[in-house]
Amino acid sequence: MAKLPNGGLFIRVVSVLSPLTLLIAWEILARVNAIDTRLFSSPSLIIQAFVPLLFSGELIYNTAVSVQRVILGFIVGAVPGIILGISMGLSPFVRSAVEPMIAATYPIPKLAIMPLILLVFGLGETSKVFTIAIGVFYLVVINTMAGVLDIDKIYLDVARNYGANRRDFYLTVAFPGALPMIFAGLKLGMGMALILIVAAELSAAKAGVGWMIWRAYDMFDIEQMFVALIVLSVLGYIFSLLLDAVERWIVPWKQT
């Protein structure tokens, strides 16, 4: 297939035009009453709702609250996930002891354990952070373990022959070797964190983007609900770009 001239520019133009085309089509369908604007609103009405929410500071405040919860939950879930994942990849004993529990509890929907989380941690911030953390943890630990197991055995043998101790195996062999899979788990975990923040803020929250969605639903304020949903999608895109940038910096040998 012949390569398109200025292929990079063409791809960027397409990436901008595709969502723009969708928005224009949505607005046209709303204006010709092809869709029920009481339920699906329209881009122009959503923008009209967005401006006062932005300048009143309400949107920024709730976004900041959710971002704080997402980052805390992400760190609390990702760090032990990486450590345990490396341990499971390096040690057959740890893997045989922990993997059955991971396999048995991972399929449980995280929303199903929300009542248990609330009973254990109460209605405060801890329960919201833990809800996000538990969703991130599973994805990170599974991907990290897979990354360590995928390391070519020759590198482990070389490290062993040169007298590497346990710390060297963790920091100079397993961790850098599993980095591409660790970042794959982190990206999946961030997506899960944004999904769970809505569920976490449903329970006794007084602020946050998820809380805005549920409050707008209760008040049948469709435009505000769409504003909050769009903010979540923008947050997901920004976090994805940040993780991609960190990955390019830490794993320069991997093309993303």
Side-chain angles (χ1 to χ4, degrees), residues 39-54:
L39 300 177
F40 294 102
S41 194
S42 68
S44 59
L45 292 175
I46 294 169
I47 291 173
Q48 288 177 26
F50 170 78
V51 173
L53 282 172
L54 178 66

Side-chain angles (χ1 to χ4, degrees), residues 68-81 129 132-133 136 190:
Q68 183 180 13
R69 288 170 179 157
V70 167
I71 291 175
L72 277 175
F74 184 76
I75 294 172
V76 170
V79 172
V129 171
I132 297 168
V136 173
M190 180 54 74

Side-chain angles (χ1 to χ4, degrees), residues 78-79 81-87 89-90 140 143-145 147-149 151 156 166-183 186 246 250-251 253:
V79 172
I82 292 173
I83 295 172
L84 183 59
I86 293 176
S87 301
L90 286 176
V140 173
N143 278 276
T144 302
M145 181 186 70
V148 175
L149 292 174
I151 295 174
L156 301 175
R166 185 175 296 277
R167 180 174 175 273
D168 294 330
F169 268 105
Y170 270 80
L171 297 181
T172 63
V173 181
F175 181 66
L179 271 176
M181 286 298 291
I182 290 175
F183 271 97
L186 292 176
V246 174
I250 295 181
V251 196
W253 63 87

Side-chain angles (χ1 to χ4, degrees), residues 41-56 58-59 212 216 221-228 230:
S41 194
S42 68
S44 59
L45 292 175
I46 294 169
I47 291 173
Q48 288 177 26
F50 170 78
V51 173
L53 282 172
L54 178 66
F55 286 101
S56 68
E58 182 182 353
L59 185 61
M212 285 182 67
D221 189 342
I222 302 301
E223 284 75 26
Q224 187 175 131
M225 189 168 69
F226 270 106
V227 169
I230 291 169

Side-chain angles (χ1 to χ4, degrees), residues 67-245:
V67 167
Q68 183 180 13
R69 288 170 179 157
V70 167
I71 291 175
L72 277 175
F74 184 76
I75 294 172
V76 170
V79 172
I82 292 173
I83 295 172
L84 183 59
I86 293 176
S87 301
M88 291 171 67
L90 286 176
S91 168
F93 173 75
V94 176
R95 188 162 62 252
S96 61
V98 178
E99 193 171 18
M101 289 185 287
I102 298 273
T105 54
Y106 172 63
I108 298 174
K110 305 307 170 281
L111 297 181
I113 60 173
M114 276 292 296
L116 178 62
I117 293 173
L118 292 175
L119 285 173
V120 175
F121 296 104
L123 300 176
E125 289 298 305
T126 306
S127 61
K128 297 169 181 58
V129 171
F130 185 80
T131 301
I132 297 168
I134 197 72
V136 173
F137 170 79
Y138 281 102
L139 295 170
V140 173
V141 73
I142 292 171
N143 278 276
T144 302
M145 181 186 70
V148 175
L149 292 174
D150 198 42
I151 295 174
D152 197 325
K153 192 173 179 294
I154 187 72
Y155 295 110
L156 301 175
D157 292 338
V158 169
R160 192 174 293 109
N161 290 336
Y162 276 92
N165 55 30
R166 185 175 296 277
R167 180 174 175 273
D168 294 330
F169 268 105
Y170 270 80
L171 297 181
T172 63
V173 181
F175 181 66
L179 271 176
M181 286 298 291
I182 290 175
F183 271 97
L186 292 176
K187 290 174 185 175
L188 291 172
M190 180 54 74
M192 179 61 72
L194 291 171
I195 292 171
L196 291 175
I197 186 66
V198 177
E201 291 177 347
L202 169 65
S203 54
K206 295 180 179 177
V209 179
W211 170 80
M212 285 182 67
I213 292 173
W214 289 108
R215 189 189 63 170
Y217 166 76
D218 284 338
M219 298 170 63
F220 203 68
D221 189 342
I222 302 301
E223 284 75 26
Q224 187 175 131
M225 189 168 69
F226 270 106
V227 169
L229 289 171
I230 291 169
V231 168
L232 274 182
S233 67
V234 172
L235 286 178
Y237 185 63
I238 292 173
F239 281 130
S240 174
L241 289 179
L242 289 174
L243 284 173
D244 283 342

